[in-house]
Amino acid sequence: MEVDTPTSKLDELTKQIQHLTDLYNSFATLRQIPQAMLKSPLSQTVPFAVHSLKSEFQHIRDLSDTIRSEPVQGALREAKDSLKRDRTELGSHSRRENRKRRRLPSPESPRPYIPHDRDTIKLFPSVDAPPLRSAELMTYITELNGAIGETSRLRIWRRTRSTAISEKPPILQFSIPNVLTAYIMLGYHPENSVIMTESLTIFGPLERKAPHLQSQYTVYRTLSQQLAKLLQTQPQVSLQSLVIFLKLYKGLFIEKCANCGRVLSSEGHVPPVARVWQGDGKSAEGTWQPRHIGCLQG
């Protein structure tokens, strides 16, 4: 007869926590699917752009299979039983009660200051590179890697080394050694094969995860969210400009915020993941400034 030891119970609990963590991360990636369906057209002359949603629906089916698997179901049952046994009153009901008791701000509270030059801040300069077409992608990657040397690297991502490169829009992997790895999901315009950026996800340099998942580190998840907002604001930005923008993060962990002068933010202790273009908005003359998310209004 086997006897459960404290070590075996701890190992089982660790596995269950990992199953629930992976499930949570998978649910988080579903938020990007509606965004892909609502993409803005590439140009004003074309009423809409066709996006391939096959991989998104496959991700939903895979997630459904994962939820129904026995390890995940067991972890969910154990979590439910653990919640019933909990007597600390630290659940969601307690948090709702705390919010009810929170004092509302008085009508006389001053309104936050909004700088007058806020409208002059641009994510990208107005001067952008010409659109890149699917037939020009390999030439662009080769020329770029030859120009940037070992400081960074752009290549076509494949699930395994033996996987052949297909004709469908590829996924690009852009890496800065010891800093980050970015996966760029591409799409082709149905009429002229112009390359469009569907989505962008950032991971740590040593993480080995599929492009549709999320990083386990807060700084890279925050950076992915910031870049998603950037693409939503300027969906027509060229791939060349986007790669140049990613190269700015070589100093992610050493550059100081242009607003507060700190490397790590006071809340969250995250480096400045935002990059703001400061220029006249009519030419390529200007500078990129690192900012914390909380310092973007400054």
Side-chain angles (χ1 to χ4, degrees):
M1 179 178 179
E2 296 183 357
V3 178
D4 291 338
T5 63
T7 302
S8 62
K9 291 182 178 180
L10 179 60
D11 292 340
E12 182 63 24
L13 179 60
T14 302
K15 292 179 181 179
Q16 291 174 346
I17 293 176
Q18 186 61 47
H19 287 315
L20 296 178
T21 302
D22 293 341
L23 181 62
Y24 172 81
N25 292 335
S26 297
F27 272 115
T29 61
L30 294 179
R31 300 176 182 176
Q32 298 180 5
I33 295 179
Q35 178 183 344
M37 295 180 178
L38 298 176
K39 276 288 183 180
S40 301
L42 185 65
S43 63
Q44 297 180 353
T45 59
V46 180
F48 61 88
V50 179
H51 303 288
S52 175
L53 300 177
K54 182 177 180 180
S55 60
E56 281 79 2
F57 285 115
Q58 181 62 43
H59 175 52
I60 295 176
R61 287 192 290 269
D62 293 343
L63 179 57
S64 177
D65 294 338
T66 300
I67 295 174
R68 289 195 294 265
S69 65
E70 182 57 32
V72 173
Q73 287 295 316
L76 291 172
R77 286 193 296 268
E78 181 61 27
K80 181 179 180 180
D81 294 340
S82 177
L83 184 60
K84 291 180 178 179
R85 295 192 300 266
D86 185 22
R87 295 293 183 267
T88 59
E89 297 183 357
L90 296 179
S92 59
H93 177 74
S94 176
R95 291 194 294 269
R96 288 196 297 268
E97 291 299 325
N98 290 336
R99 286 196 294 267
K100 291 180 180 179
R101 292 193 295 266
R102 193 173 300 168
R103 182 177 181 271
L104 296 176
S106 62
E108 294 79 14
S109 299
R111 299 179 63 84
Y113 169 73
I114 301 177
H116 296 289
D117 61 344
R118 180 179 177 182
D119 293 336
T120 64
I121 298 177
K122 304 294 182 182
L123 293 174
F124 282 99
S126 298
V127 179
D128 194 11
L132 190 69
R133 303 182 186 276
S134 59
E136 304 167 335
L137 180 60
M138 294 304 299
T139 301
Y140 166 71
I141 293 176
T142 302
E143 294 177 351
L144 176 70
N145 289 332
I148 61 182
E150 299 299 326
T151 58
S152 54
R153 182 65 55 180
L154 180 67
R155 68 183 183 90
I156 293 180
W157 177 82
R158 292 181 291 178
R159 188 174 300 275
T160 62
R161 293 181 180 272
S162 60
T163 303
I165 298 177
S166 62
E167 295 297 328
K168 66 181 182 179
I171 298 176
L172 300 184
Q173 182 186 51
F174 179 80
S175 58
I176 301 178
N178 302 320
V179 180
L180 60 82
T181 297
Y183 292 106
I184 308 172
M185 273 63 80
L186 301 181
Y188 294 151
H189 194 282
E191 295 187 0
N192 52 22
S193 297
V194 169
I195 294 176
M196 305 173 294
T197 301
E198 299 285 352
S199 61
L200 182 62
T201 310
I202 309 296
F203 294 90
L206 300 181
E207 290 188 278
R208 297 293 181 264
K209 291 188 174 183
H212 63 272
L213 298 178
Q214 285 192 340
S215 172
Q216 62 178 329
Y217 302 106
T218 302
V219 56
Y220 297 114
R221 291 199 302 270
T222 305
L223 179 53
S224 296
Q225 295 168 3
Q226 176 64 20
L227 294 176
K229 295 178 182 178
L230 180 149
L231 290 176
Q232 187 177 8
T233 303
Q234 295 182 251
Q236 301 177 12
V237 65
S238 66
L239 176 63
Q240 304 96 304
S241 294
L242 183 61
V243 172
I244 293 175
F245 182 81
L246 290 174
K247 289 167 60 179
L248 298 172
Y249 288 94
K250 180 180 180 181
L252 174 63
F253 297 102
I254 59 176
E255 292 181 339
K256 297 181 179 180
C257 175
N259 185 56
C260 67
R262 296 166 55 98
V263 175
L264 298 180
S265 60
S266 57
E267 296 183 2
H269 303 288
V270 174
V273 298
R275 296 294 183 271
V276 177
W277 175 260
Q278 292 284 6
D280 57 11
K282 300 179 181 180
S283 67
E285 296 183 359
T287 58
W288 291 100
Q289 292 186 354
R291 299 268 186 99
H292 295 123
I293 299 298
C295 295
L296 286 176
Q297 304 298 331

